[in-house]
Amino acid sequence: MSGFATMPPDGRTRSRVGIALGSGSARGWAHIGVLQALRRAGVEPGVVCGTSIGALIGGAYALGDLDALGGWVRSLTRRDVVRLLDVRLTGGGLIQGERLMRFFRGRSYDSPIEALPKVFSAVATDLGTGREVWLGRGPLLDAVRASFALPGLFAPVRRDGRWLVDGGLVNPVPISVCRALGAEVVIAVNLNGDLVGRRTRRADGAGNPRMPHDPGADAIEEGLLAQLAAQFTGSLRAGTAALIGPSDAPGVPTLGLFDVLSGSLNIMQDRITRSRMAGDPPDLMISPRLGHLGLMEFDRADEAIAAGIQAVEQSMPAIRECCIG
């Protein structure tokens, strides 16, 4: 691994409890509820590691901005989400992420990771070698941005001479990073445990299994396509329809961009997570029930946060045994 030594920097002591916050796009708002509920229970992890959206929430927690972030995400509407996503036809991804980064820079997220009161590391993937990269030094926001650079959606990040993309490709729930940074007890938060197969079981009018209709993702997809269309001459929708054929043919399920993307990511991350946990299981697993939330439904933070709180409450006997006292 690279980007962080196995000992906490600057003489900071090892913490008994570490938390590994997993990837999951919009479902990641559940991490806010998990961390808030743990805090109320008297559990304050001193080692915080995150992948993708888990890196963003973990960074906010390590910075001391978790509650303020929670208030902001609860206020997001679908229109707000679309406005934050700056679409470009070049740069290795549909979304450059600069609008989002400007927002967080205004909240001190560009603070050095070494100066944070908690030990923190984000996980990214080296696009050239496929290796896992631990980002535990330098500006917090740069590390977070690299960790959630979802291939094809967010543009990759250039850092230290290499292109970095989403850490969920190699380590969706970074338990190993927590242990390497000194955590004696690791709580893992897995956002994808109930997703594979569940969201594809809704039947069409004939009773046949089909992909789900995801209104939130549809709305955001429409906004992104509208931005793309503004950069083309002619209609992007018409061109796409001509390429892939009509989507409303009788008996044929409708597949949108985010249906395919989210379904593929769910399968990939579920399989990788199972494999990694088989070799390095956490001391405690928290798995919010989030199968009803779509990949890009960032405007449904209230539901996600509530699911995180509920998952902690249901796990309280195990939390008391391993983390309290």
Side-chain angles (χ1 to χ4, degrees), residues 198-316:
R198 178 171 176 172
R199 287 176 57 82
T200 61
R201 291 185 189 134
R202 199 183 73 169
D204 60 19
N208 300 312
R210 58 172 292 174
M211 292 292 289
H213 177 67
D214 188 336
D218 285 351
I220 293 169
E221 181 180 350
E222 289 290 342
L224 294 177
L225 288 174
Q227 292 184 50
L228 280 170
Q231 300 181 44
F232 280 115
T233 56
S235 169
L236 179 67
R237 276 294 195 191
T240 303
L243 179 64
I244 66 174
S247 60
D248 57 353
V252 178
T254 300
L255 291 178
L257 169 65
F258 293 112
D259 289 328
V260 176
L261 182 60
S262 63
S264 301
L265 287 172
N266 291 342
I267 293 169
M268 178 192 73
Q269 295 191 3
D270 177 69
R271 297 299 181 258
I272 296 172
T273 299
R274 289 172 185 267
S275 176
R276 296 292 299 247
M277 287 189 183
D280 188 12
D283 297 282
L284 174 66
M285 171 75 77
I286 296 176
S287 299
R289 306 299 290 178
L290 299 164
H292 60 291
L293 295 179
L295 177 76
M296 296 293 288
E297 292 185 290
F298 290 99
D299 57 304
R300 297 177 67 181
D302 280 333
E303 296 172 62
I305 291 171
I309 293 172
Q310 182 180 31
V312 170
E313 291 173 347
Q314 292 174 342
S315 301
M316 277 310 302

Side-chain angles (χ1 to χ4, degrees), residues 31-68:
H31 288 315
I32 297 173
V34 168
L35 289 165
Q36 290 175 336
L38 285 174
R39 184 173 58 199
R40 287 195 291 269
V43 179
E44 287 269 6
V47 175
V48 184
C49 299
T51 295
S52 195
I53 189 70
L56 175 61
I57 307 304
Y61 180 67
L63 184 65
D65 196 53
L66 183 70
D67 291 339

Side-chain angles (χ1 to χ4, degrees), residues 5-275:
T6 57
M7 288 291 290
D10 304 329
R12 286 177 287 174
T13 58
R14 291 172 180 248
S15 170
R16 180 170 180 263
V17 178
I19 191 160
L21 302 174
S23 57
S25 199
R27 293 181 287 269
W29 298 149
H31 288 315
I32 297 173
V34 168
L35 289 165
Q36 290 175 336
L38 285 174
R39 184 173 58 199
R40 287 195 291 269
V43 179
E44 287 269 6
V47 175
V48 184
C49 299
T51 295
S52 195
I53 189 70
L56 175 61
I57 307 304
Y61 180 67
L63 184 65
D65 196 53
L66 183 70
D67 291 339
L69 178 64
W72 176 68
V73 303
R74 286 176 183 273
S75 73
L76 287 176
T77 65
R78 290 175 186 171
R79 180 173 294 182
D80 293 329
V81 174
V82 173
R83 285 174 176 169
L84 285 169
L85 304 179
D86 45 346
V87 175
R88 297 289 185 275
L89 297 179
T90 59
L94 286 177
I95 301 165
Q96 299 304 299
E98 281 307 308
R99 291 180 190 169
L100 190 60
M101 294 303 99
R102 281 198 298 271
F103 173 85
F104 284 110
R105 286 190 189 99
R107 303 187 60 82
S108 301
Y109 279 71
D110 52 356
S111 301
I113 293 174
E114 300 93 320
L116 297 177
K118 298 180 184 294
V119 178
F120 173 80
S121 187
V123 178
T125 303
D126 186 329
L127 189 59
T129 65
R131 293 180 179 176
E132 183 176 339
V133 179
W134 299 355
L135 303 171
R137 297 185 183 278
L140 172 62
L141 192 58
D142 290 353
V144 168
R145 173 66 181 82
S147 185
F148 72 62
L150 189 65
L153 192 58
F154 280 95
V157 172
R158 187 73 172 173
R159 177 165 170 158
D160 299 329
R162 54 192 172 186
W163 288 106
L164 301 180
V165 294
D166 197 301
L169 298 178
V170 289
N171 196 352
V173 185
I175 300 163
S176 57
V177 189
C178 282
R179 295 201 191 284
L181 297 183
E184 298 172 15
V185 174
V186 177
I187 301 171
V189 185
N190 180 18
L191 305 177
N192 301 305
D194 68 333
L195 299 180
V196 175
R198 178 171 176 172
R199 287 176 57 82
T200 61
R201 291 185 189 134
R202 199 183 73 169
D204 60 19
N208 300 312
R210 58 172 292 174
M211 292 292 289
H213 177 67
D214 188 336
D218 285 351
I220 293 169
E221 181 180 350
E222 289 290 342
L224 294 177
L225 288 174
Q227 292 184 50
L228 280 170
Q231 300 181 44
F232 280 115
T233 56
S235 169
L236 179 67
R237 276 294 195 191
T240 303
L243 179 64
I244 66 174
S247 60
D248 57 353
V252 178
T254 300
L255 291 178
L257 169 65
F258 293 112
D259 289 328
V260 176
L261 182 60
S262 63
S264 301
L265 287 172
N266 291 342
I267 293 169
M268 178 192 73
Q269 295 191 3
D270 177 69
R271 297 299 181 258
I272 296 172
T273 299
R274 289 172 185 267
S275 176

